[in-house]
Amino acid sequence: MKKAVRYSLYSAVTAALCVAFCILCHFSRQERNTDLCKSVEIAFADSLHFLDTEDVAVCIDDNYGTPVGKKYGEVDLKKIEDILEMKPDIARSEAWMTTDGVLHVLVFHRRPVCMFRDGQNCFYADASGFIFPVHDDPVTGVPVIDGPASTNVEHLTEIMDIVNNLPDGICRMQIDSRCNISFFREDGPEKFLFGQPEGKEEKFDKYGKYIGRILPSAEGKGYTSVDLRYANQIICK
């Protein structure tokens, strides 16, 4: 058989196989789109406990409808994700279907980096400054910020800039009505006077010098007030 003829036959067979594969995929996709969603499996991508699987299932059922019993092609995965991400506790969600008829939903909790406290009222903020409620199972290990709610909201951007750069070991901050900031160490008696948010880099640098140089000294053990507000000075009392 001539080489040209063999090449033509090979091309024809390859083309026929490609067409057959495309047709098979088309019908397979159509068949899949008519399959039914049989169940919903909900999981969490972190160890926080603001929500449980029942909370997420109820949110889907109340705002989207029950996916179980719907055809694959009728389940709007993007809409389910959008509905879940409207809840303040949820930062992100992912929804997908598998060939066994299961709708999988993966939930990412919104992670707090601090808790604002104004008397009896408390609320969390994430690293972006998004505010969301405190639940019955509070997160431990995040700094608590005491101060008027109006001040916290008005100066939220500056406050979050401080919070996101806090050195390790800071457990609590105080903010007055003029946005003067003080903070406290987890394992020390000192009150650190930080003042206004401006100049935070120099003030945090002075805090590091206090921890590394002054605190280990004999005199450092007795200080209860450390003033970081003034240029080139650390005033300890």
Side-chain angles (χ1 to χ4, degrees):
M1 187 180 293
K2 293 184 178 180
K3 185 175 181 181
V5 174
R6 286 201 306 270
Y7 179 78
S8 297
L9 287 173
Y10 175 78
S11 300
V13 170
T14 302
L17 288 173
C18 288
V19 170
F21 179 75
C22 290
I23 292 172
L24 181 64
C25 288
H26 173 73
F27 282 108
S28 176
R29 191 180 301 114
Q30 281 192 328
E31 182 180 355
R32 183 185 174 192
N33 284 337
T34 60
D35 287 342
L36 300 180
C37 174
K38 299 175 182 176
S39 63
V40 180
E41 290 189 2
I42 298 167
F44 294 93
D46 49 62
S47 58
L48 297 175
H49 299 97
F50 298 149
L51 303 171
D52 57 29
T53 55
E54 184 178 353
D55 295 324
V56 176
V58 168
C59 178
I60 294 172
D61 288 348
D62 288 351
N63 297 281
Y64 175 77
T66 303
V68 174
K70 290 181 179 290
K71 296 177 181 179
Y72 270 48
E74 295 175 350
V75 179
D76 191 335
L77 302 176
K78 180 65 168 60
K79 186 173 181 180
I80 291 173
E81 292 173 348
D82 290 342
I83 286 171
L84 291 175
E85 289 166 17
M86 290 178 66
K87 290 186 70 66
D89 312 281
I90 297 177
R92 185 163 63 89
S93 64
E94 296 177 3
W96 68 96
M97 296 283 293
T98 49
T99 54
D100 56 356
V102 177
L103 168 61
H104 298 268
V105 178
L106 182 64
V107 174
F108 297 76
H109 277 107
R110 191 176 298 280
R111 183 169 295 277
V113 296
C114 66
M115 182 174 74
F116 289 95
R117 185 169 61 188
D118 176 16
Q120 297 300 313
N121 301 314
C122 299
F123 53 91
Y124 287 129
D126 68 5
S128 70
F130 185 94
I131 301 298
F132 59 108
V134 173
H135 289 263
D136 295 335
D137 185 14
V139 176
T140 59
V142 298
V144 176
I145 302 175
D146 290 309
S150 57
T151 302
N152 293 335
V153 172
E154 182 181 354
H155 298 278
L156 185 61
T157 300
E158 299 100 306
I159 293 171
M160 293 310 303
D161 194 29
I162 298 293
V163 170
N164 289 329
N165 290 280
L166 277 179
D168 292 338
I170 302 300
C171 64
R172 188 164 66 91
M173 293 171 57
Q174 287 181 337
I175 301 175
D176 66 17
S177 59
R178 297 184 178 181
C179 201
N180 289 305
I181 298 170
S182 304
F183 57 80
F184 301 83
R185 290 196 303 128
E186 190 171 18
D187 55 356
E190 307 96 331
K191 179 178 183 178
F192 293 88
L193 305 177
F194 195 87
Q196 295 289 307
E198 293 80 12
K200 68 178 186 302
E201 292 84 1
E202 181 186 353
K203 294 172 184 176
F204 281 139
D205 182 62
K206 287 188 286 187
Y207 172 82
K209 289 178 180 177
Y210 171 82
I211 296 296
R213 301 178 188 178
I214 298 174
L215 182 60
S217 67
E219 311 85 60
K221 304 301 181 185
Y223 294 133
T224 58
S225 174
V226 181
D227 198 334
L228 309 172
R229 294 175 294 179
Y230 305 105
N232 304 315
Q233 299 180 65
I234 303 175
I235 303 173
C236 303
K237 296 179 182 178

